[in-house]
Amino acid sequence: MRIWWTTAYYELLKYSRKKTLILILIVLPLVLIYMLGSAFDTEIKPAKVIVYNADRGELRASVDAFWSNDEIKPYVRFLAAKEEGDVQPSVTESESDYGVVIPADYSSRVLKGETVSWRTYSGRFVEKNLAVESVIDSYLTELNMQMSAREILGPEAGSEQEGVGEPDAAEPFVLVGMLGGDKNQIFRSVSAMQYYAATYLIMFLLYGGMLAAIELLNQHKNGTLQRMFTMPFSFIQLVLGIVTGSFLVAALQAIIIVLFTKFVYDVNWGTNYGWLFLISLLTTAVGAGIAIIIASFAKTVKTTQTVFGIVAFSMTFVSGGMIADIDVIIGDASKWTVNHWANEGLRAIMNGSSWSDYSQEVAILAMIAAVLSVFAMIRLPKVVKRHA
């Protein structure tokens, strides 16, 4: 066992010194996730709105209630300014997306029946400006209509204070949607960033598993394995140590990608990290199994990389890694890929589903990994032995 883990440790150390490998397995998936997730992201993110309320009149409470209303929380995140002079600099320096100053005479003008408006500062994001302006305009328009009705109908329209400054809560302040269907129609129940985070984590974990076959071929070509075969300890432990080294690289790869996308890209991976790690481990096992089987026939590193790359790319494409709604065209063909079962399991975890909802996907993935591992063990002598 000591030989096994010592070999695995030195394999991990050797991989860590290969800058190109780190670039491909860790940096490239992060770039792809950001590019595709951002390009196809249709989710509305709340605009940070900094507000200074100079009004100390009778309607201040209703204004505060407006900014804390649940109807606008999907579009607006309220930030309170201590001074009026803090609003414009906050927007200019992009600390906030939008600024609002409510004048000191707001309550008095409303109660006199005069038209009211707020001083606003637009930010650099047009779509966020439109969302905030829609929210504010809806509120002020209804408020002005209420005051016009009171002025025309007189006191019988209601008591002087009742309902003033409080638009009908039953009506949403702003309605935002997508033409042609639900925002999750293409990416189902996850966001675009979540969708591509899962897709490319799986794809590059497959490539991480390929490292085992590539390293075995390299050491076979250099004669290292033949020299190890003459040493007075278990040869199989050395081989398994080399394979374990690639698994450790894949584990670190998964940890870095998950943590980076969680804290930098704000990707919600759910809470069941144990199941997420299991899916990552099984995917790596699948990649290693496929690569070793290919290497046993190809015999060379270049051929193995080429054939494995075609297989991994094809499975990613068919499972929707490049075109999210490709199943509309190819039907259930994606179910014949490893990526489909791994991706479905990850997306269920992201949605916070219980383990019973994705246990079938994990079970199928485990079965595929087990079958490929058995075939890989059978074909392994063709990779590590000179005359096998």
Side-chain angles (χ1 to χ4, degrees):
M1 186 65 72
R2 185 175 62 85
I3 300 299
W4 182 344
W5 287 108
T6 300
T7 305
Y9 168 75
Y10 280 106
E11 286 296 312
L12 180 61
L13 189 64
K14 181 169 59 179
Y15 288 133
S16 67
R17 294 171 179 170
K18 297 180 179 180
K19 296 181 180 179
T20 303
L21 181 67
I22 296 174
L23 184 68
I24 293 174
L25 292 183
I26 297 177
V27 178
L28 183 57
L30 292 174
V31 172
L32 289 172
I33 291 168
Y34 178 77
M35 290 177 60
L36 292 172
S38 299
F40 293 100
D41 188 13
T42 58
E43 182 181 359
I44 298 175
K45 294 180 174 58
K48 293 182 290 184
V49 180
I50 184 168
V51 179
Y52 177 73
N53 190 355
D55 180 40
R56 295 295 183 269
E58 301 175 27
L59 300 182
R60 180 182 176 86
S62 68
V63 173
D64 292 339
F66 161 71
W67 288 113
S68 61
N69 194 299
D70 291 338
E71 292 287 349
I72 69 172
K73 285 183 179 179
Y75 316 108
V76 171
R77 183 154 68 90
F78 169 71
L79 302 173
K82 294 181 179 179
E83 299 178 359
E84 181 177 348
D86 295 337
V87 176
Q88 187 173 8
S90 179
V91 177
T92 303
E93 297 171 7
S94 298
E95 296 175 357
S96 304
D97 299 312
Y98 201 87
V100 176
V101 174
I102 301 172
D105 59 350
Y106 170 75
S107 292
S108 60
R109 292 185 61 186
V110 169
L111 296 176
K112 290 178 182 178
E114 299 178 5
T115 301
V116 294
S117 62
W118 295 341
R119 185 154 27 108
T120 60
Y121 299 91
S122 300
R124 60 191 183 97
F125 297 107
V126 176
E127 66 279 5
K128 291 187 176 181
N129 292 337
L130 291 174
V132 179
E133 288 167 2
S134 179
V135 170
I136 295 175
D137 288 346
S138 296
Y139 174 82
L140 293 179
T141 298
E142 186 169 350
L143 177 63
N144 288 324
M145 288 178 62
Q146 284 183 5
M147 298 313 303
S148 298
R150 290 176 184 278
E151 184 177 358
I152 295 172
L153 300 178
E156 63 271 15
S159 64
E160 184 178 358
Q161 301 298 327
E162 183 182 0
V164 175
E166 299 178 3
D168 186 4
E171 293 296 328
F173 291 112
V174 61
L175 181 61
V176 179
M178 287 183 60
L179 294 176
D182 186 82
K183 70 176 182 179
N184 292 324
Q185 185 176 11
I186 296 178
F187 301 109
R188 299 176 178 85
S189 57
V190 296
S191 67
M193 195 69 77
Q194 286 178 302
Y195 183 91
Y196 287 111
T199 295
Y200 286 102
L201 172 64
I202 296 303
M203 177 180 175
F204 282 90
L205 282 175
L206 290 174
Y207 280 105
M210 182 188 67
L211 293 179
I214 299 303
E215 188 60 28
L216 289 173
L217 286 172
N218 280 329
Q219 296 202 24
H220 183 276
K221 179 181 178 180
N222 297 333
T224 306
L225 289 177
Q226 284 68 41
R227 292 193 294 271
M228 289 181 176
F229 191 71
T230 62
M231 300 180 74
F233 43 72
S234 174
F235 179 69
I236 191 63
Q237 287 192 32
L238 290 171
V239 173
L240 291 178
I242 294 172
V243 175
T244 303
S246 69
F247 274 72
L248 293 176
V249 171
L252 289 175
Q253 178 188 6
I255 291 171
I256 292 172
I257 291 175
V258 169
L259 292 180
F260 189 92
T261 53
K262 176 181 175 64
F263 292 107
V264 179
Y265 298 164
D266 198 26
V267 173
N268 179 14
W269 288 93
T271 57
N272 292 331
Y273 288 99
W275 283 94
L276 193 155
F277 182 77
L278 177 61
I279 291 175
S280 300
L281 181 64
L282 292 173
T283 302
T284 306
V286 169
I290 294 174
I292 290 173
I293 294 171
I294 293 174
S296 68
F297 292 100
K299 302 294 186 181
T300 65
V301 171
K302 186 174 182 179
T303 305
T304 300
Q305 288 177 323
T306 301
V307 176
F308 184 90
I310 293 172
V311 172
F313 181 86
S314 300
M315 290 194 300
T316 302
F317 179 81
V318 172
S319 64
M322 283 71 180
I323 304 175
D325 56 348
I326 195 172
D327 54 337
V328 175
I329 302 173
I330 64 175
D332 292 335
S334 64
K335 293 183 178 180
W336 293 93
T337 67
V338 175
N339 303 58
H340 170 81
W341 302 106
N343 289 334
E344 289 299 314
L346 288 181
R347 290 165 195 156
I349 293 174
M350 288 174 168
N351 289 328
S353 303
S354 63
W355 71 269
S356 59
D357 294 326
Y358 47 83
S359 57
Q360 179 182 354
E361 286 78 7
V362 176
I364 293 175
L365 184 61
M367 182 177 64
I368 295 172
V371 171
L372 288 173
S373 296
V374 170
F375 275 100
M377 291 297 293
I378 295 173
R379 298 294 303 177
L380 187 60
K382 299 290 184 180
V383 180
V384 301
K385 294 184 179 179
R386 183 180 297 276
H387 303 294

